[in-house]
Amino acid sequence: MKKWEENIRKVTPYVPGEQPKRRDVVKLNTNENPYPPSPRVAKALRQISTESMRKYPDPEARMLVEAIAEMETSPRSGSAAERGCLSEDAACGTAAMENLTPEQIFVGVGSDDVLAMIFLTFFNSEKPVLFPDITYSFYDVWADMLRIPYERQPLNEAFEIVGRDYYKENGGVIFPNPNAPTGALLGLDVIEDIIRHNQDVIVVVDEAYIDFGGVSCVGLLEKYDNLIVVKTFSKSRSMAGMRIGYAVAGKELIGYLNDVKYSFNSYTMNQTAILLGTAAARDNEYFEETRRKIIATREKAKLELAKLGFSFQDSQANFLFVTHKSVPAAELFAALKEEGIYVRYFDRPRIDNYLRITIGTDEEMERLYAFLRTYPGIR
Amino acid sequence: MKKWEENIRKVTPYVPGEQPKRRDVVKLNTNENPYPPSPRVAKALRQISTESMRKYPDPEARMLVEAIAEMETSPRSGSAAERGCLSEDAACGTAAMENLTPEQIFVGVGSDDVLAMIFLTFFNSEKPVLFPDITYSFYDVWADMLRIPYERQPLNEAFEIVGRDYYKENGGVIFPNPNAPTGALLGLDVIEDIIRHNQDVIVVVDEAYIDFGGVSCVGLLEKYDNLIVVKTFSKSRSMAGMRIGYAVAGKELIGYLNDVKYSFNSYTMNQTAILLGTAAARDNEYFEETRRKIIATREKAKLELAKLGFSFQDSQANFLFVTHKSVPAAELFAALKEEGIYVRYFDRPRIDNYLRITIGTDEEMERLYAFLRTYPGIR
């Protein structure tokens, strides 16, 4: 070993889902939106001039931050049912904040960048950060990399987050809602209970999938100044390729987050991300339409997959986390891949007999059902 | 103070140069290229489809990485003089590596992202990292944020890096070449001496400005496996707005860097950055042409500013770091700004009577000279 190796930070990195080069693949493995971004994004792209690319982008990405603040405050039209929400709660899918200012928004290169900055900025205690044992698999990667102590709280047998597990002393709390990869949604009452029991630390609710049927807890910001809500353009806004994520929180927390960001990289959002993200944020109608389609396809998928002998939690995300009564997940994963249908399989304790299936278009889902119907042992 | 404030990482962030909203400004304050990106970038932009933006980008940014590897190995045409180099060294502006592979390239969101990842990955010693006292002002910001010990080595009276200051025990070495904000270029012999005396640690040479007349030390990678060379598309490739930086090093170091990057954010380069960066990397001819123009304008600026009573080091970058024999820099900075001519002023020890002036187009520089000629006390 060379002497310089001693000072290298050696980590086990997160392994992202495969991005196959094959064109004919039914890609249900990385929770991407099956629909393209809003037509306004295409229009905005046509208006971009490369002339200005010689200059640095606006370090504050002000245009995008303002569009997000506006998007988060504009009420959604229609009743809960019309908006495709299963919950009767009239607030489903709405932003409950009345007066969100741009100073309450932090943008980053996807919600991963936002979350990594949050770990770096706020999780500096000797006490462990708490998160579920089955959850977004980046949390422990960030904690390990940044040498942050953490403690996993096991989901119950039904794969649900148990609120009271988070009432103990800790250095911070983070969980996704809906949880990943289960898709299970926590009620706002449970979330508020967790925050109420943790007012000495920062509580982060990662709402990457909230737009597919859940109620955002952004409204709780009016009551709790230690809450950070993280969202993304990668799922419900069909913009995974442009890497845009954001945090909503009190002005004070966003200020600290920006200080750390400006100590890392002053200009994280490039000009195209700012311009195209702004266009996407402004098309609420298209957002509602595609969101509704995905929710409808997911509800149909629940029926189809149940008929085929799969069981799963009642996901409110754009994916289902399924297990089959007789065919092992690992076997099915390989067979599907062979067929050109990519889903996600995590070879980890408790979930190694599950597949995470992203909700695609109706046509893509039909290809999945057709293959499953003929697969030996499925019925 | 709230209890949750105790665990917040509080930092003094880097303050980037101003991005004025006024349109008529002569912007010579952030070392941007005065020429737009290659026409191939505009062409590539027209070919981008927003359809694919629903999908995640290639986490390896393979297309861009390959284009950079190729760009770094392709020899530059013409003699040193023809290429606008002042040095007689035939290697001026050339890449001396014969067989650079894509596995030797790491890309990031501007060279700031690349450098921050390098600090995080390689500077984990108890011993101080060494860098000049007058240098890129982000180095101490990163070290402070990541709690890395460091020790500044003073430039000599002529504002030059003194090689032997870096021969002591340390946890790593980093310096820009040409240095910022002085523009002074170190010879390859001095750089090799520094590396030779530091084979137990990682040595980083930050070549953001190397294309404006210097000789890249990439060729030294054939001899030293502890060297990392960092470059950017922001200056000589006119792409500051797209945030593309890269590191060139041995496969092993690039591997460690990628592991940390994948532990932070799997997908840092968005689709437009990958596609437009690739187009820019492939247009060597345009690169040579604009580079040559900037070098010519800089050499003219040296004559003009000397005539007006300024003194400066013999910069090989796209800026001059000047001081005037009778007018204080702070006063001139304010007067220039009032006139709509933005330059950079650093209110710091040793350099608080200097201005950093980016080389613009000939027309922009003429506006600067015209104003200076009439300024009271200049002549």
Side-chain angles (χ1 to χ4, degrees):
Chain A
M1 187 169 116
K2 300 257 185 170
K3 198 143 188 328
W4 50 254
E5 281 203 51
E6 284 170 22
N7 297 323
I8 291 176
R9 189 180 293 259
K10 286 174 185 148
V11 291
T12 310
Y14 174 81
V15 180
E18 222 174 323
Q19 295 292 351
K21 311 271 182 224
R22 283 172 59 182
R23 283 259 164 197
D24 57 336
V25 160
V26 175
K27 196 166 173 301
L28 308 175
N29 68 332
T30 52
N31 294 346
E32 289 152 335
N33 197 308
Y35 303 107
S38 153
R40 289 206 201 179
V41 175
K43 202 178 153 201
L45 180 72
R46 297 293 149 246
Q47 288 164 352
I48 291 177
S49 153
T50 55
E51 288 277 323
S52 60
M53 287 181 189
R54 68 177 189 83
K55 287 197 203 167
Y56 282 96
D58 172 11
E60 293 178 20
R62 189 76 191 179
M63 179 193 280
L64 177 60
V65 161
E66 283 174 0
I68 293 171
E70 208 175 298
M71 168 179 113
E72 283 289 335
T73 39
S74 60
R76 307 269 154 78
S77 57
S79 70
E82 280 163 359
R83 274 177 276 107
C85 300
L86 298 180
S87 144
E88 285 306 303
D89 190 332
C92 163
T94 64
M97 283 292 278
E98 294 271 308
N99 294 304
L100 211 57
T101 67
E103 287 67 36
Q104 291 182 264
I105 307 291
F106 172 85
V107 288
V109 181
S111 62
D112 287 344
D113 182 39
V114 175
L115 289 163
M117 287 290 155
I118 286 172
F119 272 65
L120 194 58
T121 309
F122 299 112
F123 293 163
N124 294 291
S125 168
E126 303 285 306
K127 293 175 200 155
V129 169
L130 306 182
F131 48 79
D133 66 335
I134 299 171
T135 194
Y136 186 32
S137 41
F138 232 128
Y139 297 158
D140 57 0
V141 172
W142 285 316
D144 284 334
M145 180 191 55
L146 297 169
R147 294 155 191 174
I148 296 166
Y150 59 93
E151 205 183 279
R152 297 186 178 96
Q153 305 306 304
L155 300 186
N156 67 16
E157 284 306 304
F159 279 0
E160 295 159 343
I161 288 176
V162 180
R164 65 175 176 280
D165 291 348
Y166 299 83
Y167 296 175
K168 61 182 92 170
E169 247 202 317
N170 63 65
V173 171
I174 180 165
F175 57 88
N177 190 46
N179 194 16
T182 64
L185 185 74
L186 274 189
L188 275 191
D189 50 340
V190 182
I191 293 176
E192 184 163 2
D193 257 351
I194 293 175
I195 302 170
R196 199 183 301 121
H197 281 86
N198 284 288
Q199 296 191 52
D200 286 349
V201 297
I202 300 299
V203 177
V204 183
V205 183
D206 179 355
E207 294 192 338
Y209 302 104
I210 197 70
D211 294 324
F212 301 107
V215 183
S216 172
C217 68
V218 158
L220 294 175
L221 288 172
E222 280 174 1
K223 277 158 81 176
Y224 302 98
D225 60 4
N226 61 322
L227 169 65
I228 306 179
V229 185
V230 176
K231 301 193 178 189
T232 178
F233 279 52
S234 297
K235 315 296 180 187
S236 57
R237 304 260 164 197
S238 304
M239 298 278 279
M242 289 308 293
R243 316 302 299 122
I244 303 168
Y246 61 101
V248 191
K251 218 169 65 174
E252 199 180 351
L253 293 194
I254 295 298
Y256 286 123
L257 208 42
N258 268 320
D259 284 351
V260 168
K261 171 228 148 107
Y262 286 123
S263 301
F264 208 91
N265 188 356
S266 310
Y267 308 92
T268 53
M269 307 305 287
N270 68 25
Q271 290 176 351
T272 50
I274 293 172
L275 291 166
L276 302 185
T278 302
R282 295 220 167 113
D283 197 347
N284 199 42
E285 206 176 317
Y286 182 83
F287 163 77
E288 291 289 351
E289 179 195 323
T290 46
R291 192 166 84 92
R292 210 180 290 127
K293 284 206 282 194
I294 292 163
I295 291 170
T297 306
R298 179 190 65 212
E299 294 309 308
K300 197 174 157 209
K302 287 178 186 171
L303 300 175
E304 291 289 339
L305 292 170
K307 271 195 273 178
L308 291 165
F310 288 94
S311 57
F312 40 82
Q313 278 195 300
D314 188 29
S315 168
Q316 295 298 308
N318 69 336
F319 55 83
L320 294 175
F321 195 55
V322 308
T323 187
H324 194 265
K325 60 180 181 191
S326 45
V327 185
E331 177 194 320
L332 202 48
F333 171 73
L336 283 164
K337 190 166 173 180
E338 179 72 28
E339 180 68 14
I341 301 172
Y342 282 56
V343 300
R344 194 85 193 262
Y345 174 67
F346 301 92
D347 192 5
R348 290 198 204 150
R350 294 188 75 186
I351 58 171
D352 57 1
N353 200 26
Y354 283 78
L355 296 177
R356 192 193 67 188
I357 304 175
T358 304
I359 302 301
T361 61
D362 284 323
E363 295 68 35
E364 288 173 320
M365 299 309 282
E366 287 302 335
R367 259 190 71 184
L368 171 72
Y369 310 144
F371 175 78
L372 291 175
R373 276 184 207 115
T374 61
Y375 192 81
I378 281 276
R379 280 207 275 204
Chain B
M1 187 168 115
K2 300 258 185 169
K3 197 144 189 330
W4 49 253
E5 280 204 53
E6 284 169 23
N7 298 322
I8 292 177
R9 188 180 294 259
K10 286 175 185 148
V11 290
T12 311
Y14 173 81
V15 180
E18 222 174 324
Q19 295 292 350
K21 310 269 183 228
R22 285 172 57 182
R23 283 261 163 197
D24 58 336
V25 160
V26 175
K27 196 167 173 301
L28 308 176
N29 68 333
T30 51
N31 294 345
E32 289 152 335
N33 197 307
Y35 303 106
S38 152
R40 288 206 202 181
V41 175
K43 204 177 151 201
L45 180 73
R46 297 293 149 246
Q47 288 164 352
I48 291 177
S49 154
T50 56
E51 287 277 323
S52 61
M53 287 180 189
R54 68 177 188 85
K55 288 196 203 169
Y56 282 95
D58 173 10
E60 294 178 20
R62 188 75 191 182
M63 180 194 279
L64 177 60
V65 161
E66 283 175 1
I68 293 171
E70 207 175 298
M71 170 180 112
E72 283 289 334
T73 38
S74 60
R76 308 269 154 77
S77 57
S79 71
E82 279 163 0
R83 273 176 279 109
C85 300
L86 298 179
S87 143
E88 286 304 305
D89 190 331
C92 163
T94 63
M97 282 292 278
E98 294 271 308
N99 294 304
L100 211 57
T101 67
E103 287 68 34
Q104 291 182 266
I105 307 291
F106 171 85
V107 288
V109 181
S111 61
D112 286 345
D113 181 39
V114 175
L115 288 163
M117 287 290 156
I118 287 172
F119 272 65
L120 194 58
T121 309
F122 299 112
F123 293 163
N124 294 291
S125 169
E126 303 287 305
K127 294 175 199 154
V129 169
L130 306 182
F131 49 78
D133 66 336
I134 299 171
T135 194
Y136 186 32
S137 41
F138 232 127
Y139 297 158
D140 56 1
V141 172
W142 286 316
D144 284 334
M145 179 190 56
L146 297 170
R147 295 155 190 174
I148 296 165
Y150 59 93
E151 206 183 280
R152 296 186 179 96
Q153 305 306 305
L155 300 186
N156 67 17
E157 285 305 304
F159 279 0
E160 294 158 342
I161 289 176
V162 180
R164 65 177 177 280
D165 290 348
Y166 298 83
Y167 297 173
K168 62 182 91 168
E169 247 201 317
N170 64 65
V173 171
I174 181 165
F175 57 87
N177 189 47
N179 194 15
T182 63
L185 185 73
L186 274 188
L188 275 191
D189 50 339
V190 182
I191 292 176
E192 184 163 3
D193 256 350
I194 293 175
I195 303 170
R196 201 183 298 122
H197 280 86
N198 284 287
Q199 296 191 53
D200 286 348
V201 296
I202 300 299
V203 177
V204 183
V205 183
D206 179 355
E207 294 192 338
Y209 302 103
I210 198 70
D211 293 325
F212 300 107
V215 183
S216 172
C217 69
V218 158
L220 293 176
L221 287 172
E222 280 174 1
K223 278 161 75 180
Y224 302 98
D225 60 5
N226 62 321
L227 169 65
I228 306 179
V229 186
V230 176
K231 302 194 179 189
T232 178
F233 280 51
S234 298
K235 315 297 179 186
S236 57
R237 304 261 163 194
S238 304
M239 298 278 278
M242 288 307 293
R243 317 301 299 121
I244 303 167
Y246 61 102
V248 192
K251 218 168 67 173
E252 200 180 352
L253 293 193
I254 295 298
Y256 286 122
L257 208 42
N258 268 320
D259 283 351
V260 168
K261 170 230 149 107
Y262 286 123
S263 302
F264 209 92
N265 188 356
S266 309
Y267 307 93
T268 53
M269 307 304 287
N270 67 24
Q271 290 176 352
T272 49
I274 293 172
L275 290 166
L276 303 185
T278 301
R282 294 218 167 114
D283 197 347
N284 199 43
E285 205 176 318
Y286 183 82
F287 163 78
E288 291 289 351
E289 179 195 324
T290 46
R291 194 167 81 92
R292 209 180 291 128
K293 284 205 283 196
I294 292 163
I295 292 170
T297 306
R298 180 190 65 212
E299 294 309 308
K300 197 175 157 208
K302 287 178 185 172
L303 301 175
E304 290 290 338
L305 292 170
K307 271 195 274 178
L308 291 165
F310 289 93
S311 58
F312 40 81
Q313 277 195 300
D314 188 28
S315 168
Q316 295 297 307
N318 69 336
F319 56 82
L320 293 176
F321 195 55
V322 308
T323 187
H324 193 266
K325 60 180 182 190
S326 46
V327 185
E331 176 195 321
L332 202 49
F333 171 74
L336 283 164
K337 189 166 173 179
E338 180 72 29
E339 179 69 12
I341 301 173
Y342 282 56
V343 299
R344 193 85 193 263
Y345 173 66
F346 302 92
D347 191 7
R348 290 199 204 148
R350 293 189 75 186
I351 58 171
D352 57 1
N353 200 25
Y354 283 78
L355 295 177
R356 193 193 67 187
I357 304 174
T358 303
I359 302 302
T361 60
D362 284 325
E363 295 68 35
E364 288 172 320
M365 299 309 283
E366 287 302 336
R367 261 190 69 184
L368 171 72
Y369 310 144
F371 176 77
L372 291 175
R373 277 184 206 115
T374 62
Y375 192 81
I378 281 277
R379 278 206 277 206

